[in-house]
Amino acid sequence: KQEVTQIPAALSVPEGENLVLNCSFTDSAIYNLQWFRQDPGKGLTSLLLIQSSQREQTSGRLNASLDKSSGRSTLYIAASQPGDSATYLCAVSPTGANSKLTFGKGITLSVRP
Amino acid sequence: EAGVAQSPRYKIIEKRQSVAFWCNPISGHATLYWYQQILGQGPKLLIQFQNNGVVDDSQLPKDRFSAERLKGVDSTLKIQPAKLEDSAVYLCASSLGWTTYNEQFFGPGTRLTVL
């Protein structure tokens, strides 16, 4: 059974800092990995999707990397801003037909002005 | 392009009452998902539809939860009777297809509080 872990559960940083959010998974037989952002009381917004054949994806100040062999992914946020404050979740989908996602519990990020 | 729509956004009920949530997926998306997200946890898949057929309902508590997707478009998730532990955010998502390379798009969710 796939398990996704995100540690720590919460993180507080000063504005402008570069930071890394970690995600680990137990079963390396994944098709893709996604990073989502969730604002309080809101749904999930997809940030980056990495196919298993890829090593990383970039969007603006965000860069996500994937190392299937070690079961790890990182989300790098450059020059953090207070508007980046949210919960960040990673999710993996398995190889095979079904697109069922398994989520981690998320990391709640607070960026202090 | 309109996103996934859900209603209501918030619902407060007493235990043992019934409640229903509605979801309208992105136009043209054949696959629809219902997730349950308990506070402090990641979303957990309850049920997955491909058109109006069920692909996966292995984690749906079938003694109290039911879902339908008539005509392969809108979907309704029902809880009857509700328990305190059903307090959660219920998220609906949709994708073009059900296979693993299809990206899922999420709605804003319905926050349920059971008193």
Side-chain angles (χ1 to χ4, degrees), chain A residues 23-62:
Chain A
C23 171
S24 61
F25 46 95
T26 54
D27 185 350
S28 62
I30 65 168
Y31 187 82
N32 61 44
L33 183 145
Q34 247 178 304
W35 281 93
F36 292 89
R37 170 182 172 141
Q38 186 172 33
D39 292 286
K42 301 289 180 63
L44 305 180
T45 301
S46 179
L47 296 174
L48 290 164
L49 184 152
I50 312 176
Q51 303 285 3
S52 62
S53 57
Q54 299 173 318
R55 298 282 295 181
E56 63 179 278
Q57 282 284 348
T58 298
S59 175
R61 294 182 295 109
L62 305 179

PDB file of all heavy atoms in Angstrom, chain A residues 23-62:
ATOM      1  N   CYS A  23       8.805  15.594   0.282  1.00  0.00           N
ATOM      2  CA  CYS A  23       7.745  14.585   0.152  1.00  0.00           C
ATOM      3  C   CYS A  23       8.426  13.244  -0.081  1.00  0.00           C
ATOM      4  O   CYS A  23       9.357  13.151  -0.906  1.00  0.00           O
ATOM      5  CB  CYS A  23       6.834  14.942  -1.020  1.00  0.00           C
ATOM      6  SG  CYS A  23       5.641  13.659  -1.474  1.00  0.00           S
ATOM      7  N   SER A  24       8.005  12.213   0.651  1.00  0.00           N
ATOM      8  CA  SER A  24       8.555  10.878   0.408  1.00  0.00           C
ATOM      9  C   SER A  24       7.419   9.885   0.216  1.00  0.00           C
ATOM     10  O   SER A  24       6.328  10.068   0.761  1.00  0.00           O
ATOM     11  CB  SER A  24       9.455  10.439   1.566  1.00  0.00           C
ATOM     12  OG  SER A  24       8.724  10.371   2.774  1.00  0.00           O
ATOM     13  N   PHE A  25       7.668   8.846  -0.559  1.00  0.00           N
ATOM     14  CA  PHE A  25       6.654   7.833  -0.838  1.00  0.00           C
ATOM     15  C   PHE A  25       7.296   6.455  -0.758  1.00  0.00           C
ATOM     16  O   PHE A  25       8.491   6.288  -1.029  1.00  0.00           O
ATOM     17  CB  PHE A  25       5.968   8.060  -2.189  1.00  0.00           C
ATOM     18  CG  PHE A  25       6.903   8.367  -3.333  1.00  0.00           C
ATOM     19  CD1 PHE A  25       7.350   7.358  -4.165  1.00  0.00           C
ATOM     20  CD2 PHE A  25       7.314   9.673  -3.574  1.00  0.00           C
ATOM     21  CE1 PHE A  25       8.200   7.628  -5.224  1.00  0.00           C
ATOM     22  CE2 PHE A  25       8.168   9.966  -4.636  1.00  0.00           C
ATOM     23  CZ  PHE A  25       8.623   8.941  -5.453  1.00  0.00           C
ATOM     24  N   THR A  26       6.501   5.456  -0.400  1.00  0.00           N
ATOM     25  CA  THR A  26       7.052   4.139  -0.092  1.00  0.00           C
ATOM     26  C   THR A  26       7.159   3.234  -1.323  1.00  0.00           C
ATOM     27  O   THR A  26       8.042   2.380  -1.378  1.00  0.00           O
ATOM     28  CB  THR A  26       6.202   3.431   0.965  1.00  0.00           C
ATOM     29  OG1 THR A  26       4.831   3.403   0.533  1.00  0.00           O
ATOM     30  CG2 THR A  26       6.291   4.168   2.303  1.00  0.00           C
ATOM     31  N   ASP A  27       6.285   3.405  -2.290  1.00  0.00           N
ATOM     32  CA  ASP A  27       6.276   2.535  -3.468  1.00  0.00           C
ATOM     33  C   ASP A  27       6.754   3.347  -4.671  1.00  0.00           C
ATOM     34  O   ASP A  27       6.087   4.305  -5.071  1.00  0.00           O
ATOM     35  CB  ASP A  27       4.864   2.001  -3.699  1.00  0.00           C
ATOM     36  CG  ASP A  27       4.793   0.983  -4.828  1.00  0.00           C
ATOM     37  OD1 ASP A  27       5.792   0.824  -5.568  1.00  0.00           O
ATOM     38  OD2 ASP A  27       3.738   0.342  -4.965  1.00  0.00           O
ATOM     39  N   SER A  28       7.883   2.961  -5.238  1.00  0.00           N
ATOM     40  CA  SER A  28       8.458   3.745  -6.340  1.00  0.00           C
ATOM     41  C   SER A  28       7.760   3.493  -7.682  1.00  0.00           C
ATOM     42  O   SER A  28       8.083   4.141  -8.676  1.00  0.00           O
ATOM     43  CB  SER A  28       9.953   3.434  -6.475  1.00  0.00           C
ATOM     44  OG  SER A  28      10.141   2.061  -6.791  1.00  0.00           O
ATOM     45  N   ALA A  29       6.802   2.569  -7.702  1.00  0.00           N
ATOM     46  CA  ALA A  29       6.071   2.286  -8.947  1.00  0.00           C
ATOM     47  C   ALA A  29       4.980   3.339  -9.143  1.00  0.00           C
ATOM     48  O   ALA A  29       3.786   3.044  -9.015  1.00  0.00           O
ATOM     49  CB  ALA A  29       5.476   0.890  -8.897  1.00  0.00           C
ATOM     50  N   ILE A  30       5.408   4.554  -9.433  1.00  0.00           N
ATOM     51  CA  ILE A  30       4.446   5.637  -9.630  1.00  0.00           C
ATOM     52  C   ILE A  30       4.473   6.070 -11.081  1.00  0.00           C
ATOM     53  O   ILE A  30       5.470   5.901 -11.790  1.00  0.00           O
ATOM     54  CB  ILE A  30       4.734   6.851  -8.722  1.00  0.00           C
ATOM     55  CG1 ILE A  30       6.072   7.497  -9.087  1.00  0.00           C
ATOM     56  CG2 ILE A  30       4.707   6.446  -7.250  1.00  0.00           C
ATOM     57  CD1 ILE A  30       6.298   8.857  -8.436  1.00  0.00           C
ATOM     58  N   TYR A  31       3.327   6.638 -11.532  1.00  0.00           N
ATOM     59  CA  TYR A  31       3.279   7.170 -12.889  1.00  0.00           C
ATOM     60  C   TYR A  31       3.644   8.647 -12.897  1.00  0.00           C
ATOM     61  O   TYR A  31       4.362   9.132 -13.750  1.00  0.00           O
ATOM     62  CB  TYR A  31       1.907   6.968 -13.517  1.00  0.00           C
ATOM     63  CG  TYR A  31       1.893   7.349 -14.971  1.00  0.00           C
ATOM     64  CD1 TYR A  31       2.337   6.465 -15.939  1.00  0.00           C
ATOM     65  CD2 TYR A  31       1.474   8.618 -15.367  1.00  0.00           C
ATOM     66  CE1 TYR A  31       2.363   6.820 -17.274  1.00  0.00           C
ATOM     67  CE2 TYR A  31       1.497   8.985 -16.700  1.00  0.00           C
ATOM     68  CZ  TYR A  31       1.932   8.083 -17.648  1.00  0.00           C
ATOM     69  OH  TYR A  31       1.961   8.435 -18.961  1.00  0.00           O
ATOM     70  N   ASN A  32       3.074   9.388 -11.938  1.00  0.00           N
ATOM     71  CA  ASN A  32       3.460  10.787 -11.809  1.00  0.00           C
ATOM     72  C   ASN A  32       3.292  11.253 -10.370  1.00  0.00           C
ATOM     73  O   ASN A  32       2.704  10.553  -9.534  1.00  0.00           O
ATOM     74  CB  ASN A  32       2.704  11.688 -12.781  1.00  0.00           C
ATOM     75  CG  ASN A  32       1.203  11.679 -12.569  1.00  0.00           C
ATOM     76  OD1 ASN A  32       0.732  11.749 -11.444  1.00  0.00           O
ATOM     77  ND2 ASN A  32       0.441  11.614 -13.644  1.00  0.00           N
ATOM     78  N   LEU A  33       3.836  12.413 -10.095  1.00  0.00           N
ATOM     79  CA  LEU A  33       3.739  13.052  -8.789  1.00  0.00           C
ATOM     80  C   LEU A  33       3.289  14.486  -9.003  1.00  0.00           C
ATOM     81  O   LEU A  33       3.765  15.169  -9.923  1.00  0.00           O
ATOM     82  CB  LEU A  33       5.078  13.000  -8.053  1.00  0.00           C
ATOM     83  CG  LEU A  33       5.109  13.577  -6.630  1.00  0.00           C
ATOM     84  CD1 LEU A  33       6.061  12.775  -5.746  1.00  0.00           C
ATOM     85  CD2 LEU A  33       5.485  15.044  -6.615  1.00  0.00           C
ATOM     86  N   GLN A  34       2.369  14.918  -8.165  1.00  0.00           N
ATOM     87  CA  GLN A  34       1.839  16.264  -8.281  1.00  0.00           C
ATOM     88  C   GLN A  34       2.006  17.013  -6.977  1.00  0.00           C
ATOM     89  O   GLN A  34       1.824  16.444  -5.889  1.00  0.00           O
ATOM     90  CB  GLN A  34       0.323  16.197  -8.602  1.00  0.00           C
ATOM     91  CG  GLN A  34      -0.043  16.690  -9.964  1.00  0.00           C
ATOM     92  CD  GLN A  34      -1.509  16.558 -10.266  1.00  0.00           C
ATOM     93  OE1 GLN A  34      -2.094  15.503 -10.194  1.00  0.00           O
ATOM     94  NE2 GLN A  34      -2.103  17.675 -10.641  1.00  0.00           N
ATOM     95  N   TRP A  35       2.298  18.296  -7.086  1.00  0.00           N
ATOM     96  CA  TRP A  35       2.286  19.197  -5.946  1.00  0.00           C
ATOM     97  C   TRP A  35       1.061  20.105  -6.076  1.00  0.00           C
ATOM     98  O   TRP A  35       0.803  20.674  -7.153  1.00  0.00           O
ATOM     99  CB  TRP A  35       3.551  20.033  -5.900  1.00  0.00           C
ATOM    100  CG  TRP A  35       4.732  19.297  -5.357  1.00  0.00           C
ATOM    101  CD1 TRP A  35       5.677  18.610  -6.054  1.00  0.00           C
ATOM    102  CD2 TRP A  35       5.100  19.189  -3.973  1.00  0.00           C
ATOM    103  NE1 TRP A  35       6.616  18.073  -5.201  1.00  0.00           N
ATOM    104  CE2 TRP A  35       6.277  18.420  -3.916  1.00  0.00           C
ATOM    105  CE3 TRP A  35       4.547  19.665  -2.783  1.00  0.00           C
ATOM    106  CZ2 TRP A  35       6.924  18.114  -2.724  1.00  0.00           C
ATOM    107  CZ3 TRP A  35       5.195  19.361  -1.588  1.00  0.00           C
ATOM    108  CH2 TRP A  35       6.364  18.593  -1.560  1.00  0.00           C
ATOM    109  N   PHE A  36       0.324  20.222  -4.967  1.00  0.00           N
ATOM    110  CA  PHE A  36      -0.865  21.060  -4.917  1.00  0.00           C
ATOM    111  C   PHE A  36      -0.686  22.133  -3.853  1.00  0.00           C
ATOM    112  O   PHE A  36       0.019  21.943  -2.867  1.00  0.00           O
ATOM    113  CB  PHE A  36      -2.115  20.245  -4.551  1.00  0.00           C
ATOM    114  CG  PHE A  36      -2.560  19.253  -5.576  1.00  0.00           C
ATOM    115  CD1 PHE A  36      -2.067  17.958  -5.567  1.00  0.00           C
ATOM    116  CD2 PHE A  36      -3.506  19.597  -6.527  1.00  0.00           C
ATOM    117  CE1 PHE A  36      -2.491  17.025  -6.504  1.00  0.00           C
ATOM    118  CE2 PHE A  36      -3.947  18.673  -7.462  1.00  0.00           C
ATOM    119  CZ  PHE A  36      -3.435  17.388  -7.446  1.00  0.00           C
ATOM    120  N   ARG A  37      -1.419  23.212  -4.036  1.00  0.00           N
ATOM    121  CA  ARG A  37      -1.519  24.253  -3.016  1.00  0.00           C
ATOM    122  C   ARG A  37      -2.973  24.300  -2.547  1.00  0.00           C
ATOM    123  O   ARG A  37      -3.904  24.198  -3.370  1.00  0.00           O
ATOM    124  CB  ARG A  37      -1.110  25.596  -3.612  1.00  0.00           C
ATOM    125  CG  ARG A  37      -1.415  26.772  -2.714  1.00  0.00           C
ATOM    126  CD  ARG A  37      -1.039  28.078  -3.336  1.00  0.00           C
ATOM    127  NE  ARG A  37      -1.527  29.189  -2.521  1.00  0.00           N
ATOM    128  CZ  ARG A  37      -0.846  30.301  -2.304  1.00  0.00           C
ATOM    129  NH1 ARG A  37       0.344  30.489  -2.873  1.00  0.00           N
ATOM    130  NH2 ARG A  37      -1.356  31.255  -1.543  1.00  0.00           N
ATOM    131  N   GLN A  38      -3.164  24.457  -1.241  1.00  0.00           N
ATOM    132  CA  GLN A  38      -4.512  24.592  -0.687  1.00  0.00           C
ATOM    133  C   GLN A  38      -4.542  25.780   0.258  1.00  0.00           C
ATOM    134  O   GLN A  38      -3.847  25.794   1.272  1.00  0.00           O
ATOM    135  CB  GLN A  38      -4.938  23.310   0.034  1.00  0.00           C
ATOM    136  CG  GLN A  38      -6.384  23.344   0.493  1.00  0.00           C
ATOM    137  CD  GLN A  38      -6.862  22.004   1.036  1.00  0.00           C
ATOM    138  OE1 GLN A  38      -6.091  21.250   1.638  1.00  0.00           O
ATOM    139  NE2 GLN A  38      -8.121  21.672   0.809  1.00  0.00           N
ATOM    140  N   ASP A  39      -5.354  26.783  -0.078  1.00  0.00           N
ATOM    141  CA  ASP A  39      -5.560  27.921   0.798  1.00  0.00           C
ATOM    142  C   ASP A  39      -6.685  27.597   1.768  1.00  0.00           C
ATOM    143  O   ASP A  39      -7.568  26.781   1.452  1.00  0.00           O
ATOM    144  CB  ASP A  39      -5.881  29.167  -0.026  1.00  0.00           C
ATOM    145  CG  ASP A  39      -4.691  29.628  -0.848  1.00  0.00           C
ATOM    146  OD1 ASP A  39      -3.761  30.188  -0.234  1.00  0.00           O
ATOM    147  OD2 ASP A  39      -4.669  29.402  -2.067  1.00  0.00           O
ATOM    148  N   PRO A  40      -6.696  28.224   2.944  1.00  0.00           N
ATOM    149  CA  PRO A  40      -7.711  27.899   3.953  1.00  0.00           C
ATOM    150  C   PRO A  40      -9.127  27.990   3.390  1.00  0.00           C
ATOM    151  O   PRO A  40      -9.496  28.986   2.773  1.00  0.00           O
ATOM    152  CB  PRO A  40      -7.467  28.958   5.034  1.00  0.00           C
ATOM    153  CG  PRO A  40      -6.031  29.308   4.899  1.00  0.00           C
ATOM    154  CD  PRO A  40      -5.734  29.237   3.425  1.00  0.00           C
ATOM    155  N   GLY A  41      -9.899  26.928   3.577  1.00  0.00           N
ATOM    156  CA  GLY A  41     -11.285  26.927   3.137  1.00  0.00           C
ATOM    157  C   GLY A  41     -11.468  26.769   1.637  1.00  0.00           C
ATOM    158  O   GLY A  41     -12.584  26.916   1.131  1.00  0.00           O
ATOM    159  N   LYS A  42     -10.398  26.477   0.930  1.00  0.00           N
ATOM    160  CA  LYS A  42     -10.478  26.377  -0.523  1.00  0.00           C
ATOM    161  C   LYS A  42     -10.130  24.967  -1.004  1.00  0.00           C
ATOM    162  O   LYS A  42      -9.665  24.127  -0.234  1.00  0.00           O
ATOM    163  CB  LYS A  42      -9.501  27.379  -1.163  1.00  0.00           C
ATOM    164  CG  LYS A  42      -9.742  28.836  -0.783  1.00  0.00           C
ATOM    165  CD  LYS A  42     -10.991  29.376  -1.408  1.00  0.00           C
ATOM    166  CE  LYS A  42     -11.241  30.834  -1.049  1.00  0.00           C
ATOM    167  NZ  LYS A  42     -10.169  31.722  -1.565  1.00  0.00           N
ATOM    168  N   GLY A  43     -10.355  24.733  -2.281  1.00  0.00           N
ATOM    169  CA  GLY A  43      -9.981  23.461  -2.880  1.00  0.00           C
ATOM    170  C   GLY A  43      -8.504  23.406  -3.198  1.00  0.00           C
ATOM    171  O   GLY A  43      -7.720  24.227  -2.725  1.00  0.00           O
ATOM    172  N   LEU A  44      -8.124  22.442  -4.001  1.00  0.00           N
ATOM    173  CA  LEU A  44      -6.723  22.227  -4.353  1.00  0.00           C
ATOM    174  C   LEU A  44      -6.401  22.860  -5.699  1.00  0.00           C
ATOM    175  O   LEU A  44      -7.158  22.699  -6.653  1.00  0.00           O
ATOM    176  CB  LEU A  44      -6.409  20.738  -4.428  1.00  0.00           C
ATOM    177  CG  LEU A  44      -6.727  19.899  -3.197  1.00  0.00           C
ATOM    178  CD1 LEU A  44      -6.364  18.457  -3.437  1.00  0.00           C
ATOM    179  CD2 LEU A  44      -6.010  20.430  -1.994  1.00  0.00           C
ATOM    180  N   THR A  45      -5.272  23.533  -5.755  1.00  0.00           N
ATOM    181  CA  THR A  45      -4.783  24.083  -7.017  1.00  0.00           C
ATOM    182  C   THR A  45      -3.511  23.347  -7.392  1.00  0.00           C
ATOM    183  O   THR A  45      -2.565  23.289  -6.605  1.00  0.00           O
ATOM    184  CB  THR A  45      -4.465  25.584  -6.869  1.00  0.00           C
ATOM    185  OG1 THR A  45      -5.655  26.273  -6.472  1.00  0.00           O
ATOM    186  CG2 THR A  45      -3.962  26.151  -8.192  1.00  0.00           C
ATOM    187  N   SER A  46      -3.490  22.778  -8.578  1.00  0.00           N
ATOM    188  CA  SER A  46      -2.299  22.051  -9.028  1.00  0.00           C
ATOM    189  C   SER A  46      -1.177  23.029  -9.349  1.00  0.00           C
ATOM    190  O   SER A  46      -1.385  24.019 -10.055  1.00  0.00           O
ATOM    191  CB  SER A  46      -2.631  21.217 -10.268  1.00  0.00           C
ATOM    192  OG  SER A  46      -1.481  20.526 -10.712  1.00  0.00           O
ATOM    193  N   LEU A  47      -0.003  22.767  -8.787  1.00  0.00           N
ATOM    194  CA  LEU A  47       1.153  23.628  -9.021  1.00  0.00           C
ATOM    195  C   LEU A  47       2.069  23.038 -10.100  1.00  0.00           C
ATOM    196  O   LEU A  47       2.426  23.709 -11.055  1.00  0.00           O
ATOM    197  CB  LEU A  47       1.953  23.794  -7.727  1.00  0.00           C
ATOM    198  CG  LEU A  47       1.237  24.499  -6.578  1.00  0.00           C
ATOM    199  CD1 LEU A  47       2.086  24.460  -5.324  1.00  0.00           C
ATOM    200  CD2 LEU A  47       0.907  25.940  -6.949  1.00  0.00           C
ATOM    201  N   LEU A  48       2.456  21.808  -9.898  1.00  0.00           N
ATOM    202  CA  LEU A  48       3.394  21.156 -10.819  1.00  0.00           C
ATOM    203  C   LEU A  48       3.073  19.667 -10.866  1.00  0.00           C
ATOM    204  O   LEU A  48       2.717  19.068  -9.852  1.00  0.00           O
ATOM    205  CB  LEU A  48       4.842  21.348 -10.363  1.00  0.00           C
ATOM    206  CG  LEU A  48       5.408  22.762 -10.472  1.00  0.00           C
ATOM    207  CD1 LEU A  48       6.689  22.899  -9.650  1.00  0.00           C
ATOM    208  CD2 LEU A  48       5.690  23.113 -11.927  1.00  0.00           C
ATOM    209  N   LEU A  49       3.215  19.092 -12.053  1.00  0.00           N
ATOM    210  CA  LEU A  49       3.036  17.655 -12.241  1.00  0.00           C
ATOM    211  C   LEU A  49       4.304  17.130 -12.895  1.00  0.00           C
ATOM    212  O   LEU A  49       4.741  17.665 -13.929  1.00  0.00           O
ATOM    213  CB  LEU A  49       1.810  17.369 -13.106  1.00  0.00           C
ATOM    214  CG  LEU A  49       1.421  15.900 -13.339  1.00  0.00           C
ATOM    215  CD1 LEU A  49      -0.082  15.789 -13.581  1.00  0.00           C
ATOM    216  CD2 LEU A  49       2.180  15.290 -14.497  1.00  0.00           C
ATOM    217  N   ILE A  50       4.905  16.106 -12.289  1.00  0.00           N
ATOM    218  CA  ILE A  50       6.122  15.504 -12.830  1.00  0.00           C
ATOM    219  C   ILE A  50       5.810  14.078 -13.252  1.00  0.00           C
ATOM    220  O   ILE A  50       5.378  13.259 -12.434  1.00  0.00           O
ATOM    221  CB  ILE A  50       7.266  15.478 -11.793  1.00  0.00           C
ATOM    222  CG1 ILE A  50       7.433  16.822 -11.099  1.00  0.00           C
ATOM    223  CG2 ILE A  50       8.568  15.054 -12.463  1.00  0.00           C
ATOM    224  CD1 ILE A  50       8.491  16.791  -9.995  1.00  0.00           C
ATOM    225  N   GLN A  51       6.016  13.788 -14.517  1.00  0.00           N
ATOM    226  CA  GLN A  51       5.876  12.414 -14.986  1.00  0.00           C
ATOM    227  C   GLN A  51       7.049  11.589 -14.449  1.00  0.00           C
ATOM    228  O   GLN A  51       8.131  12.130 -14.206  1.00  0.00           O
ATOM    229  CB  GLN A  51       5.868  12.360 -16.509  1.00  0.00           C
ATOM    230  CG  GLN A  51       4.799  13.207 -17.178  1.00  0.00           C
ATOM    231  CD  GLN A  51       3.422  12.596 -17.082  1.00  0.00           C
ATOM    232  OE1 GLN A  51       3.230  11.544 -16.470  1.00  0.00           O
ATOM    233  NE2 GLN A  51       2.441  13.255 -17.678  1.00  0.00           N
ATOM    234  N   SER A  52       6.850  10.291 -14.317  1.00  0.00           N
ATOM    235  CA  SER A  52       7.895   9.438 -13.729  1.00  0.00           C
ATOM    236  C   SER A  52       9.173   9.423 -14.560  1.00  0.00           C
ATOM    237  O   SER A  52      10.256   9.151 -14.043  1.00  0.00           O
ATOM    238  CB  SER A  52       7.376   8.014 -13.547  1.00  0.00           C
ATOM    239  OG  SER A  52       7.030   7.459 -14.795  1.00  0.00           O
ATOM    240  N   SER A  53       9.041   9.735 -15.846  1.00  0.00           N
ATOM    241  CA  SER A  53      10.220   9.749 -16.716  1.00  0.00           C
ATOM    242  C   SER A  53      10.996  11.066 -16.625  1.00  0.00           C
ATOM    243  O   SER A  53      12.079  11.198 -17.192  1.00  0.00           O
ATOM    244  CB  SER A  53       9.793   9.529 -18.172  1.00  0.00           C
ATOM    245  OG  SER A  53       8.850  10.519 -18.552  1.00  0.00           O
ATOM    246  N   GLN A  54      10.419  12.039 -15.905  1.00  0.00           N
ATOM    247  CA  GLN A  54      11.054  13.348 -15.779  1.00  0.00           C
ATOM    248  C   GLN A  54      11.784  13.454 -14.443  1.00  0.00           C
ATOM    249  O   GLN A  54      11.478  12.739 -13.491  1.00  0.00           O
ATOM    250  CB  GLN A  54       9.995  14.454 -15.880  1.00  0.00           C
ATOM    251  CG  GLN A  54       9.258  14.470 -17.211  1.00  0.00           C
ATOM    252  CD  GLN A  54       8.118  15.462 -17.227  1.00  0.00           C
ATOM    253  OE1 GLN A  54       7.379  15.578 -16.244  1.00  0.00           O
ATOM    254  NE2 GLN A  54       7.970  16.171 -18.316  1.00  0.00           N
ATOM    255  N   ARG A  55      12.715  14.397 -14.383  1.00  0.00           N
ATOM    256  CA  ARG A  55      13.451  14.623 -13.134  1.00  0.00           C
ATOM    257  C   ARG A  55      12.956  15.864 -12.411  1.00  0.00           C
ATOM    258  O   ARG A  55      13.036  15.953 -11.190  1.00  0.00           O
ATOM    259  CB  ARG A  55      14.934  14.783 -13.444  1.00  0.00           C
ATOM    260  CG  ARG A  55      15.572  13.583 -14.069  1.00  0.00           C
ATOM    261  CD  ARG A  55      15.864  12.507 -13.064  1.00  0.00           C
ATOM    262  NE  ARG A  55      16.853  12.906 -12.080  1.00  0.00           N
ATOM    263  CZ  ARG A  55      17.280  12.105 -11.105  1.00  0.00           C
ATOM    264  NH1 ARG A  55      16.778  10.904 -10.994  1.00  0.00           N
ATOM    265  NH2 ARG A  55      18.174  12.522 -10.240  1.00  0.00           N
ATOM    266  N   GLU A  56      12.459  16.848 -13.200  1.00  0.00           N
ATOM    267  CA  GLU A  56      11.998  18.068 -12.555  1.00  0.00           C
ATOM    268  C   GLU A  56      11.068  18.841 -13.476  1.00  0.00           C
ATOM    269  O   GLU A  56      11.021  18.614 -14.684  1.00  0.00           O
ATOM    270  CB  GLU A  56      13.168  18.940 -12.128  1.00  0.00           C
ATOM    271  CG  GLU A  56      14.042  19.463 -13.255  1.00  0.00           C
ATOM    272  CD  GLU A  56      15.174  20.342 -12.707  1.00  0.00           C
ATOM    273  OE1 GLU A  56      14.923  21.529 -12.444  1.00  0.00           O
ATOM    274  OE2 GLU A  56      16.276  19.815 -12.532  1.00  0.00           O
ATOM    275  N   GLN A  57      10.326  19.775 -12.828  1.00  0.00           N
ATOM    276  CA  GLN A  57       9.455  20.696 -13.534  1.00  0.00           C
ATOM    277  C   GLN A  57       9.578  22.055 -12.876  1.00  0.00           C
ATOM    278  O   GLN A  57       9.765  22.155 -11.663  1.00  0.00           O
ATOM    279  CB  GLN A  57       7.990  20.237 -13.470  1.00  0.00           C
ATOM    280  CG  GLN A  57       7.627  19.115 -14.407  1.00  0.00           C
ATOM    281  CD  GLN A  57       7.475  19.581 -15.842  1.00  0.00           C
ATOM    282  OE1 GLN A  57       7.421  20.759 -16.132  1.00  0.00           O
ATOM    283  NE2 GLN A  57       7.446  18.625 -16.753  1.00  0.00           N
ATOM    284  N   THR A  58       9.445  23.101 -13.682  1.00  0.00           N
ATOM    285  CA  THR A  58       9.579  24.467 -13.164  1.00  0.00           C
ATOM    286  C   THR A  58       8.403  25.309 -13.613  1.00  0.00           C
ATOM    287  O   THR A  58       7.910  25.171 -14.734  1.00  0.00           O
ATOM    288  CB  THR A  58      10.888  25.099 -13.676  1.00  0.00           C
ATOM    289  OG1 THR A  58      11.994  24.336 -13.181  1.00  0.00           O
ATOM    290  CG2 THR A  58      11.021  26.529 -13.176  1.00  0.00           C
ATOM    291  N   SER A  59       7.954  26.177 -12.684  1.00  0.00           N
ATOM    292  CA  SER A  59       6.931  27.149 -13.021  1.00  0.00           C
ATOM    293  C   SER A  59       7.189  28.397 -12.187  1.00  0.00           C
ATOM    294  O   SER A  59       6.986  28.393 -10.973  1.00  0.00           O
ATOM    295  CB  SER A  59       5.537  26.591 -12.726  1.00  0.00           C
ATOM    296  OG  SER A  59       4.545  27.564 -12.954  1.00  0.00           O
ATOM    297  N   GLY A  60       7.674  29.444 -12.840  1.00  0.00           N
ATOM    298  CA  GLY A  60       7.961  30.673 -12.114  1.00  0.00           C
ATOM    299  C   GLY A  60       8.988  30.463 -11.020  1.00  0.00           C
ATOM    300  O   GLY A  60      10.095  29.978 -11.276  1.00  0.00           O
ATOM    301  N   ARG A  61       8.606  30.793  -9.780  1.00  0.00           N
ATOM    302  CA  ARG A  61       9.528  30.645  -8.646  1.00  0.00           C
ATOM    303  C   ARG A  61       9.523  29.233  -8.051  1.00  0.00           C
ATOM    304  O   ARG A  61      10.209  28.986  -7.056  1.00  0.00           O
ATOM    305  CB  ARG A  61       9.151  31.653  -7.559  1.00  0.00           C
ATOM    306  CG  ARG A  61       9.349  33.113  -7.957  1.00  0.00           C
ATOM    307  CD  ARG A  61       9.005  34.072  -6.810  1.00  0.00           C
ATOM    308  NE  ARG A  61       7.606  34.023  -6.456  1.00  0.00           N
ATOM    309  CZ  ARG A  61       7.121  33.491  -5.337  1.00  0.00           C
ATOM    310  NH1 ARG A  61       7.940  32.951  -4.441  1.00  0.00           N
ATOM    311  NH2 ARG A  61       5.830  33.517  -5.091  1.00  0.00           N
ATOM    312  N   LEU A  62       8.765  28.338  -8.638  1.00  0.00           N
ATOM    313  CA  LEU A  62       8.641  26.984  -8.128  1.00  0.00           C
ATOM    314  C   LEU A  62       9.425  25.999  -8.991  1.00  0.00           C
ATOM    315  O   LEU A  62       9.405  26.084 -10.216  1.00  0.00           O
ATOM    316  CB  LEU A  62       7.175  26.548  -8.106  1.00  0.00           C
ATOM    317  CG  LEU A  62       6.183  27.425  -7.364  1.00  0.00           C
ATOM    318  CD1 LEU A  62       4.791  26.833  -7.470  1.00  0.00           C
ATOM    319  CD2 LEU A  62       6.581  27.597  -5.918  1.00  0.00           C
TER     320      LEU A  62
END
